[in-house]
Amino acid sequence: MTLLTEPERALPGSGPTTAATGSPRSSRRRGRRTAESGTATRSLISDLELARPRARVLYFLTLTGTVVVFAAAFLFPLYWMVTAALKTPAQMADNTVGSLVPTSFQLSNYADAWNEMHIAHFFLNTVYYAAGGWFIQIVVDVTTAYALSKLRPVFGRAVFGMMLASLMLPATALLVPAYLNITSLPFIHLNLLNSPWGLWLPGAANAFNVYVLKRFFDQIPDELLDAASIDGASRLQILGRIILPLSRPVLAVISILSVIGIWKDFLWPMLVLQDPEAQTLSVALQRLSATTQVPPTEMIAGLAIASVPMVVVFLVFQRHILAGLSAGAVKG
């Protein structure tokens, strides 16, 4: 029995060896692969259309043009920032098209920005805040998702629904309540301004992280946890010895997004860290640009240095981000 694909059945009068459909043997192989996989290949343009030379050329030209346009839209700001830091102030003031390529490379701008703006000090501050915020987020979000997914408390669904509802609110709408809580912590009336805890505590319960973790934990069979419980494992031991080792992909993506979010945050650290020596790199660069006579090329060099770690992290771990976000999405 010959299995024909949909485009082949729709082609009236096609012979067994037409140029568009190929040989009968290749048609049987394509139909067999479709039947074995249980899914048909779907795209905006059918395989029959792509078999025509003119359609294939037009398709790949359109695809290439779209990729180039979107890549340029995302990569051009990075290119401008890196190259602008290599120019002199006079070259940077030139807005002609020819100025996109620097005529002289002033590598000393990066060295001057590193030394004169004390980037190393604020860089270490940011690393410290990012590491502490990552650890607290992992502890709080993992335990919360574990409780909602496997322990199933009485009002667990209501709590989870309210956490997801918080994602509908813009972050700026929560600035004033969060700032009032930081200046006078409820019940104990402790002021956390100029303290790392002022950055760490408001971001500890991240609703998006809890959602991603809970969705992954839901895919872990309860029978596996019941077997460990019968062997005498406590709930914390089940979390540490079974849940966490199985959750490495999703923990990786949560960790990466957490570090990137803390590193690039600007508004909240500017409100909480009012001491100049305790500020993050992004806040310090903004303050120095407004209070000191720093050449614009050195300021852009400082911005380029501040962006390098996160660009490298994303390029290295982009596959882990995509794999972690899709982990547990398909139930098999």
Side-chain angles (χ1 to χ4, degrees):
M1 180 178 178
T2 303
L3 298 176
L4 298 179
T5 60
E6 193 66 25
E8 291 170 337
R9 291 199 300 267
L11 186 64
S14 58
T17 58
T18 60
T21 59
S23 64
R25 182 177 301 175
S26 63
S27 300
R28 287 194 295 269
R29 284 199 298 266
R30 289 197 299 269
R32 191 179 298 112
R33 286 196 298 268
T34 303
E36 291 175 355
S37 62
T39 57
T41 302
R42 297 179 180 271
S43 62
L44 294 176
I45 302 178
S46 65
D47 294 338
L48 182 61
E49 290 292 335
L50 286 179
R52 300 174 181 176
R54 182 180 301 177
R56 189 186 306 114
V57 171
L58 182 61
Y59 171 77
F60 284 108
L61 286 178
T62 304
L63 179 62
T64 303
T66 303
V67 171
V68 169
V69 168
F70 279 93
F74 284 98
L75 295 179
F76 178 76
L78 295 176
Y79 168 80
W80 184 90
M81 180 175 60
V82 173
T83 56
L86 297 174
K87 302 176 182 178
T88 62
Q91 292 175 353
M92 182 180 171
D94 186 7
N95 293 324
T96 60
V97 178
S99 64
L100 293 178
V101 179
T103 56
S104 62
F105 295 90
Q106 304 290 330
L107 293 177
S108 60
N109 290 337
Y110 286 95
D112 294 340
W114 181 271
N115 296 324
E116 297 179 7
M117 302 174 69
H118 306 287
I119 289 181
H121 172 74
F122 300 112
F123 189 92
L124 293 178
N125 284 351
T126 310
V127 171
Y128 172 65
Y129 296 140
W134 162 79
F135 178 76
I136 293 177
Q137 279 195 25
I138 290 295
V139 172
V140 174
D141 296 344
V142 166
T143 52
T144 302
Y146 173 63
L148 294 175
S149 176
K150 298 304 180 184
L151 303 184
R152 298 183 180 92
V154 177
F155 298 103
R157 291 187 177 181
V159 172
F160 185 61
M162 289 187 290
M163 294 184 67
L164 293 182
S166 66
L167 294 175
M168 308 301 173
L169 298 175
T172 53
L174 302 175
L175 282 178
V176 174
Y179 183 80
L180 294 177
N181 288 333
I182 289 301
T183 55
S184 180
L185 206 61
F187 304 110
I188 59 177
H189 305 289
L190 185 64
N191 191 342
L192 297 180
L193 291 179
N194 296 320
S195 171
W197 294 101
L199 293 179
W200 296 338
L201 291 182
N206 189 299
F208 177 77
N209 292 350
V210 173
Y211 168 73
V212 174
L213 289 167
K214 182 182 180 300
R215 187 181 66 175
F216 186 89
F217 292 165
D218 288 340
Q219 307 305 318
I220 299 178
D222 292 335
E223 292 79 5
L224 184 62
L225 309 185
D226 294 339
S229 179
I230 293 174
D231 290 339
S234 64
R235 292 175 177 177
L236 287 178
Q237 289 175 334
I238 292 175
L239 175 63
R241 298 183 179 182
I242 297 178
I243 299 293
L244 293 183
L246 294 175
S247 306
R248 289 177 181 174
V250 71
L251 289 177
V253 67
I254 293 300
S255 300
I256 296 169
L257 295 180
S258 174
V259 172
I260 292 178
I262 297 173
W263 188 279
K264 69 182 183 65
D265 195 10
F266 170 76
L267 185 57
W268 183 248
M270 184 181 65
L271 295 176
V272 175
L273 302 175
Q274 300 175 1
D275 182 10
E277 295 299 322
Q279 290 176 345
T280 61
L281 185 55
S282 58
V283 178
L285 290 175
Q286 187 275 337
R287 176 179 55 82
L288 292 173
S289 66
T291 59
T292 60
Q293 298 296 328
V294 179
T297 53
E298 292 185 14
M299 179 57 62
I300 296 177
L303 296 174
I305 295 173
S307 63
V308 167
M310 293 303 99
V311 172
V312 173
V313 167
F314 180 79
L315 292 178
V316 172
F317 297 103
Q318 58 177 331
R319 292 187 177 181
H320 296 275
I321 296 176
L322 297 177
L325 288 176
S326 61
V330 180
K331 199 171 185 178

Short mmCIF file of all heavy atoms in Angstrom, two decimals, residues 251-277:
data_model
loop_
_atom_site.label_atom_id
_atom_site.label_comp_id
_atom_site.label_asym_id
_atom_site.label_seq_id
_atom_site.Cartn_x
_atom_site.Cartn_y
_atom_site.Cartn_z
N LEU A 251 16.96 24.35 36.76
CA LEU A 251 17.73 25.15 37.71
C LEU A 251 18.78 25.99 37.00
O LEU A 251 19.08 27.12 37.43
CB LEU A 251 18.40 24.23 38.74
CG LEU A 251 17.49 23.56 39.76
CD1 LEU A 251 18.29 22.63 40.66
CD2 LEU A 251 16.74 24.58 40.60
N ALA A 252 19.33 25.46 35.92
CA ALA A 252 20.32 26.23 35.15
C ALA A 252 19.69 27.47 34.53
O ALA A 252 20.26 28.56 34.60
CB ALA A 252 20.94 25.34 34.07
N VAL A 253 18.51 27.33 33.95
CA VAL A 253 17.90 28.48 33.31
C VAL A 253 17.43 29.49 34.34
O VAL A 253 17.55 30.71 34.14
CB VAL A 253 16.72 28.04 32.40
CG1 VAL A 253 15.57 27.47 33.20
CG2 VAL A 253 16.23 29.20 31.56
N ILE A 254 16.94 29.03 35.49
CA ILE A 254 16.54 29.94 36.55
C ILE A 254 17.76 30.71 37.07
O ILE A 254 17.70 31.93 37.33
CB ILE A 254 15.84 29.18 37.69
CG1 ILE A 254 14.51 28.62 37.20
CG2 ILE A 254 15.64 30.07 38.90
CD1 ILE A 254 13.54 29.66 36.73
N SER A 255 18.87 30.03 37.21
CA SER A 255 20.08 30.69 37.69
C SER A 255 20.57 31.75 36.71
O SER A 255 20.93 32.86 37.11
CB SER A 255 21.18 29.65 37.93
OG SER A 255 20.78 28.69 38.89
N ILE A 256 20.57 31.42 35.43
CA ILE A 256 21.05 32.37 34.43
C ILE A 256 20.16 33.60 34.37
O ILE A 256 20.64 34.74 34.38
CB ILE A 256 21.14 31.67 33.06
CG1 ILE A 256 22.19 30.55 33.10
CG2 ILE A 256 21.48 32.68 31.97
CD1 ILE A 256 22.16 29.66 31.88
N LEU A 257 18.85 33.39 34.33
CA LEU A 257 17.94 34.53 34.27
C LEU A 257 18.00 35.37 35.54
O LEU A 257 17.87 36.61 35.49
CB LEU A 257 16.51 34.03 34.04
CG LEU A 257 16.24 33.34 32.70
CD1 LEU A 257 14.79 32.89 32.61
CD2 LEU A 257 16.57 34.27 31.54
N SER A 258 18.21 34.73 36.67
CA SER A 258 18.31 35.47 37.93
C SER A 258 19.54 36.36 37.94
O SER A 258 19.46 37.55 38.30
CB SER A 258 18.35 34.49 39.11
OG SER A 258 18.60 35.16 40.32
N VAL A 259 20.69 35.82 37.55
CA VAL A 259 21.93 36.61 37.55
C VAL A 259 21.84 37.76 36.54
O VAL A 259 22.23 38.90 36.84
CB VAL A 259 23.12 35.70 37.25
CG1 VAL A 259 24.39 36.52 37.04
CG2 VAL A 259 23.33 34.70 38.39
N ILE A 260 21.32 37.48 35.35
CA ILE A 260 21.19 38.53 34.34
C ILE A 260 20.24 39.62 34.82
O ILE A 260 20.50 40.82 34.64
CB ILE A 260 20.72 37.93 33.01
CG1 ILE A 260 21.81 37.04 32.41
CG2 ILE A 260 20.36 39.03 32.02
CD1 ILE A 260 21.41 36.35 31.12
N GLY A 261 19.12 39.23 35.45
CA GLY A 261 18.17 40.22 35.92
C GLY A 261 18.75 41.13 36.99
O GLY A 261 18.51 42.35 36.98
N ILE A 262 19.51 40.56 37.92
CA ILE A 262 20.12 41.38 38.97
C ILE A 262 21.21 42.26 38.40
O ILE A 262 21.37 43.42 38.78
CB ILE A 262 20.67 40.48 40.09
CG1 ILE A 262 19.53 39.71 40.76
CG2 ILE A 262 21.42 41.29 41.13
CD1 ILE A 262 20.00 38.68 41.76
N TRP A 263 21.99 41.74 37.46
CA TRP A 263 23.10 42.50 36.90
C TRP A 263 22.61 43.72 36.13
O TRP A 263 23.19 44.80 36.22
CB TRP A 263 23.93 41.60 35.98
CG TRP A 263 25.20 42.23 35.52
CD1 TRP A 263 25.38 43.12 34.50
CD2 TRP A 263 26.51 42.03 36.09
NE1 TRP A 263 26.69 43.48 34.38
CE2 TRP A 263 27.42 42.82 35.35
CE3 TRP A 263 26.99 41.25 37.14
CZ2 TRP A 263 28.77 42.85 35.63
CZ3 TRP A 263 28.34 41.28 37.41
CH2 TRP A 263 29.21 42.06 36.67
N LYS A 264 21.55 43.58 35.36
CA LYS A 264 21.11 44.68 34.50
C LYS A 264 20.09 45.60 35.17
O LYS A 264 19.70 46.61 34.58
CB LYS A 264 20.51 44.13 33.21
CG LYS A 264 19.19 43.42 33.38
CD LYS A 264 18.68 42.86 32.08
CE LYS A 264 17.32 42.20 32.23
NZ LYS A 264 16.27 43.15 32.60
N ASP A 265 19.66 45.27 36.39
CA ASP A 265 18.68 46.10 37.06
C ASP A 265 19.28 47.46 37.39
O ASP A 265 20.43 47.56 37.83
CB ASP A 265 18.19 45.41 38.34
CG ASP A 265 16.93 46.05 38.88
OD1 ASP A 265 16.33 46.89 38.16
OD2 ASP A 265 16.52 45.72 40.01
N PHE A 266 18.49 48.50 37.21
CA PHE A 266 18.99 49.86 37.44
C PHE A 266 18.12 50.66 38.41
O PHE A 266 18.62 51.27 39.36
CB PHE A 266 19.09 50.61 36.11
CG PHE A 266 19.36 52.08 36.26
CD1 PHE A 266 20.62 52.53 36.59
CD2 PHE A 266 18.35 53.02 36.07
CE1 PHE A 266 20.88 53.89 36.74
CE2 PHE A 266 18.59 54.37 36.23
CZ PHE A 266 19.86 54.81 36.56
N LEU A 267 16.81 50.65 38.20
CA LEU A 267 15.93 51.54 38.96
C LEU A 267 15.89 51.19 40.45
O LEU A 267 16.04 52.06 41.31
CB LEU A 267 14.52 51.52 38.36
CG LEU A 267 13.51 52.48 38.97
CD1 LEU A 267 14.03 53.91 38.89
CD2 LEU A 267 12.16 52.36 38.27
N TRP A 268 15.70 49.90 40.76
CA TRP A 268 15.60 49.53 42.18
C TRP A 268 16.93 49.71 42.92
O TRP A 268 16.94 50.25 44.02
CB TRP A 268 15.09 48.09 42.29
CG TRP A 268 14.88 47.65 43.71
CD1 TRP A 268 15.59 46.71 44.38
CD2 TRP A 268 13.91 48.15 44.63
NE1 TRP A 268 15.12 46.58 45.66
CE2 TRP A 268 14.08 47.45 45.84
CE3 TRP A 268 12.91 49.12 44.55
CZ2 TRP A 268 13.31 47.70 46.97
CZ3 TRP A 268 12.13 49.36 45.66
CH2 TRP A 268 12.33 48.65 46.85
N PRO A 269 18.07 49.29 42.38
CA PRO A 269 19.34 49.59 43.08
C PRO A 269 19.59 51.08 43.25
O PRO A 269 20.19 51.50 44.24
CB PRO A 269 20.40 48.94 42.18
CG PRO A 269 19.67 47.87 41.46
CD PRO A 269 18.30 48.40 41.23
N MET A 270 19.14 51.91 42.32
CA MET A 270 19.34 53.36 42.46
C MET A 270 18.54 53.90 43.64
O MET A 270 18.98 54.84 44.32
CB MET A 270 18.92 54.06 41.17
CG MET A 270 19.18 55.56 41.18
SD MET A 270 18.65 56.39 39.66
CE MET A 270 16.87 56.12 39.74
N LEU A 271 17.36 53.32 43.90
CA LEU A 271 16.55 53.78 45.02
C LEU A 271 17.07 53.26 46.36
O LEU A 271 17.04 53.97 47.36
CB LEU A 271 15.09 53.33 44.83
CG LEU A 271 14.34 53.94 43.64
CD1 LEU A 271 12.96 53.31 43.52
CD2 LEU A 271 14.23 55.45 43.77
N VAL A 272 17.55 52.02 46.38
CA VAL A 272 17.92 51.38 47.65
C VAL A 272 19.34 51.72 48.05
O VAL A 272 19.62 52.00 49.22
CB VAL A 272 17.72 49.85 47.54
CG1 VAL A 272 18.22 49.15 48.80
CG2 VAL A 272 16.26 49.53 47.30
N LEU A 273 20.27 51.69 47.09
CA LEU A 273 21.69 51.91 47.40
C LEU A 273 22.04 53.37 47.18
O LEU A 273 22.48 53.77 46.09
CB LEU A 273 22.55 50.99 46.53
CG LEU A 273 22.27 49.50 46.65
CD1 LEU A 273 23.11 48.72 45.65
CD2 LEU A 273 22.53 49.01 48.07
N GLN A 274 21.84 54.18 48.19
CA GLN A 274 22.12 55.61 48.09
C GLN A 274 23.55 55.95 48.45
O GLN A 274 24.02 57.05 48.16
CB GLN A 274 21.14 56.38 48.98
CG GLN A 274 19.68 56.16 48.59
CD GLN A 274 18.71 56.81 49.55
OE1 GLN A 274 19.12 57.46 50.51
NE2 GLN A 274 17.41 56.64 49.30
N ASP A 275 24.27 55.04 49.07
CA ASP A 275 25.68 55.24 49.39
C ASP A 275 26.50 55.03 48.11
O ASP A 275 26.43 53.96 47.49
CB ASP A 275 26.12 54.25 50.47
CG ASP A 275 27.58 54.45 50.86
OD1 ASP A 275 28.19 55.46 50.44
OD2 ASP A 275 28.12 53.59 51.59
N PRO A 276 27.28 56.02 47.67
CA PRO A 276 28.03 55.87 46.41
C PRO A 276 28.96 54.67 46.40
O PRO A 276 29.16 54.04 45.35
CB PRO A 276 28.80 57.19 46.29
CG PRO A 276 28.01 58.16 47.09
CD PRO A 276 27.44 57.38 48.24
N GLU A 277 29.55 54.33 47.53
CA GLU A 277 30.50 53.23 47.56
C GLU A 277 29.83 51.87 47.51
O GLU A 277 30.48 50.86 47.25
CB GLU A 277 31.36 53.32 48.82
CG GLU A 277 32.26 54.54 48.87
CD GLU A 277 33.25 54.55 47.72
OE1 GLU A 277 33.76 53.47 47.35
OE2 GLU A 277 33.51 55.65 47.17
#
